């Protein structure tokens, strides 16, 4: 099967995790760069990558790469692509992207040129003067970095962090992709007790449950490329069947607590949508009353950061209290706390054994790790 190139964007700091995920999925020539990972795969890998990637933002298929220092070079490079292989006669094909350190620095102008080139190619290929664009959407992405152009198709549609279980209209402070990364970095495999005493809407605990079960995070959602005629439906069915076959069915000890009853209610609803309500417990609980029961366990949490000055002081006070909780936990527990607070360790009263720089969206954070890491 023909080898295709893919680009998987991700949050800064997650490149190594995404690289490891792609390697486990059988991708070749995996290379990590700032904010994205590239690899080679096949057409059949498009369903597998989308179903299985826990920490990638989306899966982009690279159709062409070339140099362009003028709009004419950009136009001709785009027009050469066999667009009829990917876009139907009535297909909608919006264009978006970015340009960095390039002579073609105007993004709107580049969008317009690319749209015109694709339209002209499709008009000639289909023998149509006018393209209705009333059919399914195929999102064209472009990047121009130092005059090097990459033309891609977005195979995912909505970002991969949208697993399909988050309550409608509820904004969580943590995307599912980052929550999954926190669980992976804690080295949780489903064997030990797992706790999140600041669970909010339950994202970290739910991602822990999906990881414990080895459940593909994309099973409960659809993807843009499912509508493409280029990808046989058998590839999608095979990928789903593979994911179901690889799922574990065991007993796991996963718990989330929050002082806000409404948040706990949302967390329980989200767990039901994610189909993990039988292995995750959520309770109304004060994090300051938490005790790490048993000899071993994982505590992974994302307490309030306090971005405004007053809130930052309140967050500092919260960390000081929670530091006492961490200090009295059994020594063999692994504790991971995500925070953007610049004085986190001083407030907690403990220096981290290890720190990992991460980004929650555009917000720079650190994952502070304690215990045997």
């Amino acid at each position: 099967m023909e080898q295709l190139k893919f680009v998987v964007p991700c949050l800064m700091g997650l490149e190594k995790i995404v690289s490891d995920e792609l390697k486990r999925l059988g991708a070749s020539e995996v290379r990590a760069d700032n904010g994205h990972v590239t690899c080679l795969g096949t057409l059949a890998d498009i369903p597998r990558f989308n179903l299985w990637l826990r920490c990638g933002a989306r899966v982009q298929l690279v159709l062409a790469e070339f140099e362009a220092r003028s709009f004419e070079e950009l136009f001709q490079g785009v027009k050469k692509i066999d667009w009829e292989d990917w876009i139907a006669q009535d297909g909608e094909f919006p264009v978006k992207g970015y340009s960095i350190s390039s002579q073609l620095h105007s993004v709107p102008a580049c969008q317009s040129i690319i749209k015109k080139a694709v339209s002209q190619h499709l008009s000639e290929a289909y023998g149509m003067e006018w393209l209705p664009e009333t059919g399914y959407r195929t999102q064209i992405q472009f990047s121009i970095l130092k005059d090097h152009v990459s033309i891609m198709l977005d195979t995912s549609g909505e970002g991969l962090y949208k697993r399909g279980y988050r309550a409608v209209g509820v904004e969580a402070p943590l995307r599912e992709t980052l929550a999954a990364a926190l669980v992976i970095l804690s080295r949780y495999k489903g064997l030990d007790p797992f706790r999140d005493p600041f669970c909010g809407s339950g994202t970290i605990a739910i991602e822990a449950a999906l990881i414990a079960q080895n459940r593909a995070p994309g099973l409960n959602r659809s993807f843009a490329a499912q509508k493409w005629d280029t990808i046989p439906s058998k590839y999608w069915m095979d990928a789903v069947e593979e994911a179901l076959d690889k799922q574990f069915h065991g007993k796991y000890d996963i718990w989330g607590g929050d002082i806000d009853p409404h948040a706990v209610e949302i967390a329980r609803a989200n767990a039901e949508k994610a189909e993990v309500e039988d292995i995750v417990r959520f309770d109304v609980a004060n994090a300051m009353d938490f005790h790490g029961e048993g000899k071993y366990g994982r505590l992974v949490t994302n307490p309030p950061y306090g971005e405004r000055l007053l809130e930052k002081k309140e967050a500092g006070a919260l960390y000081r209290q929670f530091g006492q909780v961490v200090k009295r936990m059994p020594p063999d527990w692994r504790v991971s706390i995500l925070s953007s607070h610049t004085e986190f360790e001083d407030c907690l009263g403990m220096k981290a054994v290890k720190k990992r720089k991460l980004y929650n969206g555009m917000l720079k954070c650190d994952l502070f790790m304690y215990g045997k890491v």
Side-chain angles (χ1 to χ4, degrees):
M1 197 177 292
E2 180 188 357
Q3 289 287 290
L4 305 169
K5 183 175 180 179
F6 296 94
V7 175
V8 180
C10 61
L11 290 169
M12 296 284 283
L14 303 189
E15 298 90 349
K16 175 65 166 60
I17 295 175
V18 174
S19 295
D20 290 344
E21 287 189 289
L22 287 165
K23 288 173 185 175
R24 283 194 295 272
L25 289 168
S28 60
E29 295 190 28
V30 179
R31 292 188 178 90
D33 207 338
N34 289 335
H36 70 271
V37 179
T38 61
C39 70
L40 296 182
T42 67
L43 209 58
D45 285 320
I46 292 177
R48 296 180 68 248
F49 291 169
N50 276 292
L51 279 171
W52 278 105
L53 285 174
R54 298 186 190 279
C55 301
R58 58 183 65 250
V59 179
Q60 297 172 334
L61 169 63
V62 180
L63 297 187
E65 293 182 278
F66 54 89
E67 303 296 313
R69 296 173 182 82
S70 69
F71 287 130
E72 180 61 22
E73 287 177 327
L74 179 63
F75 180 88
Q76 294 301 332
V78 173
K79 190 170 182 287
K80 284 179 185 176
I81 299 168
D82 295 328
W83 290 103
E84 67 274 21
D85 290 347
W86 306 100
I87 300 174
Q89 284 189 12
D90 62 347
E92 182 187 2
F93 50 99
V95 178
K96 63 181 179 181
Y98 62 87
S99 177
I100 299 173
S101 303
S102 301
Q103 293 188 46
L104 302 178
H105 55 82
S106 170
V107 171
C110 292
Q111 285 177 295
S112 179
I113 293 295
I114 293 169
K115 181 78 175 183
K116 183 178 178 181
V118 177
S119 298
Q120 192 170 119
H121 181 105
L122 289 174
S123 293
E124 293 172 4
Y126 290 129
M128 301 168 66
E129 290 186 13
W130 178 73
L131 299 168
E133 293 198 55
T134 54
Y136 65 80
R137 172 179 292 198
T138 303
Q139 179 68 58
I140 299 171
Q141 306 269 159
F142 71 89
S143 71
I144 308 176
L145 179 61
K146 296 180 180 177
D147 301 324
H148 183 79
V149 180
S150 296
I151 303 295
M152 301 164 284
L153 296 182
D154 174 23
T155 73
S156 301
E158 289 193 303
L160 294 182
Y161 72 91
K162 294 192 175 182
R163 317 285 207 222
Y165 64 71
R166 184 181 292 179
V168 177
V170 174
E171 280 299 317
L174 203 65
R175 284 193 171 183
E176 291 86 332
T177 44
L178 181 54
L182 300 185
V183 177
I184 291 168
L185 290 169
S186 79
R187 301 182 189 175
Y188 175 67
K189 306 291 186 185
L191 301 176
D192 301 332
F194 186 95
R195 304 289 183 259
D196 178 3
F198 296 96
C199 75
S201 56
T203 309
I204 293 175
I206 290 170
E207 290 299 318
L210 296 176
I211 288 170
Q213 287 188 318
N214 196 39
R215 181 179 173 86
L219 274 174
N220 284 356
R221 56 160 286 176
S222 59
F223 304 96
Q226 283 179 268
K227 297 179 180 178
W228 296 0
D229 294 334
T230 316
I231 305 178
S233 58
K234 183 181 185 302
Y235 289 174
W236 291 97
M237 290 187 288
D238 287 349
V240 169
E241 186 176 341
E242 175 195 21
L244 293 173
D245 286 345
K246 289 186 174 181
Q247 187 169 328
F248 303 148
H249 300 279
K251 291 186 177 181
Y252 308 97
D253 185 3
I254 303 171
W255 175 85
D258 200 281
I259 202 166
D260 180 0
H262 181 59
V264 172
E265 187 180 320
I266 292 171
R268 287 171 177 162
N270 287 345
E272 283 188 31
K273 288 181 181 178
E275 299 176 4
V276 295
E277 74 278 7
D278 56 332
I279 63 169
V280 184
R281 309 185 323 275
F282 291 108
D283 294 312
V284 177
N286 189 332
M288 305 313 153
D289 297 330
F290 179 79
H291 292 271
E293 71 281 11
K295 187 176 180 182
Y296 302 103
R298 302 285 191 281
L299 187 154
V300 181
T301 195
N302 177 44
Y305 300 158
E307 289 308 301
R308 298 184 184 90
L309 186 59
L310 180 61
E311 291 175 349
K312 190 172 182 179
K313 290 180 180 177
E314 292 172 349
L318 180 73
Y319 296 158
R320 277 187 283 275
Q321 292 180 63
F322 192 62
Q324 299 306 309
V325 173
V326 176
K327 287 173 184 176
R328 67 174 179 250
M329 289 178 64
D332 287 337
W333 272 67
R334 288 178 175 169
V335 176
S336 303
I337 307 173
L338 184 72
S339 178
S340 68
H341 200 291
T342 54
E343 299 166 9
F344 175 83
E345 289 172 295
D346 289 339
C347 292
L348 196 76
M350 301 172 67
K351 289 292 181 185
V353 175
K354 186 177 180 182
K355 287 195 290 187
R356 177 82 175 244
K357 190 180 294 183
L358 298 171
Y359 282 81
N360 187 1
M362 297 302 292
L363 183 63
K364 181 181 173 182
C365 301
D366 282 292
L367 181 64
F368 299 89
M369 291 178 268
Y370 299 88
K372 293 185 178 180
V373 297

